[in-house]
Amino acid sequence: MTDQGAPAKLASRLFDLRLIIAVLFFVFGLVVTISGLVSKASTVSASGVNTGVNVNVWTGVPMLVIAVLFVIWALVRPLEIPPAAPAEETETTSS
C-alpha cells in the first residue's frame, strides 16, 4: 500500500521558504565572498579612502553562515502538513 501523502510532503519540503532563502543567501554570499577575495582594491571605499577592511568578505561570510543556519533550521524543524479534514458529503436537492 502506498502513502498518498508522500508527494504532498515532498512538495512542501521542496518549496519550503526557508530553503529558498538559504539558496539565495548562499549564492549571493558566495559571489560576494569570492569577489572580496580576488579583488585587488577591495579595501578602498567609494569615496576613495582606504579603510583597511575588506567589506565584501565581511559581508559574504555572514551571508554564508546565515544560509547554513536556514538549512539547519529547515532540517531540524521540517514543515508539518496538517491532516486533511474528511470531506463532508453534501446532499444536493434537485428542483
Side-chain angles (χ1 to χ4, degrees), residues 5-34:
K9 187 174 184 179
L10 179 64
S12 70
R13 293 192 80 186
L14 182 63
F15 294 109
D16 187 2
L17 189 59
R18 297 173 292 186
L19 293 177
I20 295 170
I21 292 172
V23 168
L24 289 174
F25 266 111
F26 180 78
V27 169
F28 292 139
L30 194 63
V31 168
V32 171
T33 303
I34 290 173

Side-chain angles (χ1 to χ4, degrees), residues 85-93:
E88 295 181 18
E89 293 183 24
T90 58
E91 294 182 22
T92 57
T93 59

Side-chain angles (χ1 to χ4, degrees), residues 61-73:
V61 171
M63 289 174 79
L64 293 173
V65 170
I66 289 171
V68 170
L69 290 175
F70 267 95
V71 170
I72 291 171
W73 180 24

Side-chain angles (χ1 to χ4, degrees), residues 48-69:
V49 178
N50 188 356
T51 59
V53 175
N54 193 337
V55 176
N56 286 336
V57 173
W58 282 100
T59 304
V61 171
M63 289 174 79
L64 293 173
V65 170
I66 289 171
V68 170
L69 290 175

